[in-house]
Amino acid sequence: MKTLDWTIRSENDWNIPAQFLANTLQPGTVVWLFGPMGVGKTTLVQRICTHLGCIDPIQSPSFAIMNQYLCGTVPVYHADLYRIEHEDELWDTGIYPLLEEASGIFFIEWPQRIPERIRAEFQPAYIANLDIMPDYERSFHLILP
């Protein structure tokens, strides 16, 4: 399993991993985004979508649970499952049929809200672990499928 690591010291530093992912992701790809609130998960998705050619503003799906964008000809789904408390609520979001359809690229914040047995069905996936470091820097550890 290959891993990549970046240290994000400024807003511009997000562009390097974002460009890498934009060049790598294909329809059907799932990216699990782990990390505490405020670490930059949505910022990363915004930067990736910019590199993918999205012209719509990319907004946090915190209250909508899931947003959909068209980046060029590829649909992008961005879900924030932080507020999900029970598995039944996941069905209500409509995320499962979209994941099974595999026609787009999926970014899922707080994937630990999805039961492991279901997450395992959507492997291989990119696993992004983000963390806050001293001096407001961010660490970004990416596990490639």
Side-chain angles (χ1 to χ4, degrees):
M1 186 175 311
K2 185 174 180 179
T3 64
L4 298 170
D5 290 288
W6 292 275
T7 298
I8 309 299
R9 293 183 176 91
S10 70
E11 285 293 315
N12 288 334
D13 289 345
W14 288 109
N15 287 321
I16 296 167
Q19 181 68 59
F20 170 81
L21 284 163
N23 290 337
T24 307
L25 301 176
Q26 301 294 321
T29 302
V30 177
V31 180
W32 305 121
L33 297 161
F34 292 92
M37 195 173 297
V39 75
K41 296 180 293 289
T42 295
T43 299
L44 176 63
V45 173
Q46 289 169 334
R47 297 297 173 93
I48 293 168
C49 287
T50 297
H51 289 289
L52 288 172
C54 286
I55 55 173
D56 293 326
I58 308 303
Q59 299 179 0
S60 172
S62 292
F63 293 101
I65 306 295
M66 186 167 51
N67 294 335
Q68 179 180 349
Y69 305 100
L70 188 60
C71 296
T73 60
V74 178
V76 171
Y77 302 95
H78 180 200
D80 181 337
L81 305 181
Y82 179 77
R83 296 183 314 127
I84 299 294
E85 294 182 13
H86 304 287
E87 185 176 344
D88 291 344
E89 293 176 273
L90 287 168
W91 288 102
D92 294 340
T93 68
I95 196 169
Y96 290 144
L98 291 171
L99 281 167
E100 289 175 357
E101 184 182 297
S103 65
I105 296 170
F106 295 86
F107 297 99
I108 302 178
E109 298 183 29
W110 301 94
Q112 58 269 42
R113 303 285 200 232
I114 298 174
E116 180 60 36
R117 71 186 186 325
I118 295 173
R119 261 197 335 250
E121 292 178 26
F122 301 103
Q123 300 295 335
Y126 289 75
I127 300 171
N129 292 298
L130 293 94
D131 206 359
I132 299 172
M133 298 169 36
D135 298 327
Y136 302 102
E137 294 178 349
R138 306 297 196 253
S139 68
F140 179 13
H141 179 76
L142 182 66
I143 302 170
L144 303 173

